[in-house]
Amino acid sequence: MMEWVKSRITWGFLLIAGGVLALLVNTGLIADSAWIWAGIFLAAGLYFLFAFLRSADNWWAAFPAFGALGIAATILTTELTTLPDELAGAVFLGLVSLAFFAIYLRRRDNWWALIPAGAILTIAGVVLVSAFESALPGNPVPLVLFGGLGATFLLIAFTRAQGGRNRWAIAPALVLFAIAGATGIAFFDLGGFVLPVILIGTGAVIILRSLRR
């Protein structure tokens, strides 16, 4: 009960502090600075991160923790760099994905968290390569998308569930890797080289297996 009361008091002070700050900014008594908001979100993120690390029962705190840290990182990235705005979005999504990775690392039976973790991290990669797409020879988005999702399911295949390892994840991983491989061949313009090599290798394997019989 005492912990619950302390938590209510903490939330009360946080709401009052946020209201006072917003009032001061809106009335012009203090300048509306991105650095102030970055500091607020950084402090909030660290507060929830401490709550998350303090007890495994506070797994929910990973979401506001890394979400607030992601917003702070987005503000700082925008203020400190001249890089494309998409980079800030990739940074935010990357930190959000860390929330799900942290939930899994805190309790290994939460293997389900790896699915949104890998998916969000893959989207972050897509956003990142899209920002520099004009400097690349082709379109790497499908390669990053399907490759990232394939890696996610492959990682899940090596985790343990109640009935053993999640072997079911191998099938979607192989399908996604196959699609990524096909898009990769198109991206690197290797179609005229890879296909003949595959045909030669397959034919050689068939001949060798026939000679051994």
Side-chain angles (χ1 to χ4, degrees):
M1 177 65 70
M2 185 59 66
E3 291 292 331
W4 182 71
V5 172
K6 288 181 179 179
S7 177
R8 289 185 62 187
I9 294 174
T10 301
W11 277 103
F13 276 117
L14 289 175
L15 292 174
I16 292 173
V20 170
L21 179 61
L23 184 62
L24 292 175
V25 171
N26 292 334
T27 56
L29 294 178
I30 62 174
D32 187 6
S33 173
W35 297 97
I36 294 178
W37 295 111
I40 292 173
F41 282 108
L42 178 61
L46 293 176
Y47 171 79
F48 284 107
L49 183 61
F50 174 76
F52 171 75
L53 296 175
R54 187 178 181 182
S55 173
D57 294 331
N58 296 334
W59 60 269
W60 56 267
F63 298 115
F66 288 97
L69 291 176
I71 295 175
T74 300
I75 296 174
L76 293 176
T77 301
T78 305
E79 292 294 321
L80 296 177
T81 67
T82 58
L83 294 172
D85 294 338
E86 289 84 352
L87 179 62
V91 170
F92 174 74
L93 290 172
L95 283 170
V96 171
S97 72
L98 287 181
F100 292 96
F101 280 117
I103 290 174
Y104 167 71
L105 294 175
R106 200 76 168 87
R107 294 185 60 177
R108 296 303 176 92
D109 55 337
N110 290 331
W111 60 267
W112 56 266
L114 293 176
I115 299 178
I120 296 174
L121 187 60
T122 299
I123 296 174
V126 170
V127 173
L128 184 61
V129 298
S130 297
F132 302 97
E133 186 175 359
S134 59
L136 297 173
N139 181 16
V141 170
L143 176 61
V144 175
L145 175 61
F146 292 109
L149 293 176
T152 299
F153 281 100
L154 184 62
L155 180 61
I156 294 172
F158 288 97
T159 60
R160 289 190 175 276
Q162 293 181 353
R165 295 191 182 277
N166 294 307
R167 300 296 186 186
W168 60 268
I170 295 178
L174 293 177
V175 172
L176 290 167
F177 279 137
I179 299 175
T183 56
I185 291 173
F187 174 70
F188 292 106
D189 196 20
L190 297 176
F193 173 76
V194 174
L195 182 58
V197 171
I198 294 176
L199 293 176
I200 294 171
T202 303
V205 170
I206 293 175
I207 293 173
L208 291 175
R209 289 176 62 91
S210 300
L211 293 176
R212 289 180 180 179
R213 293 180 180 177

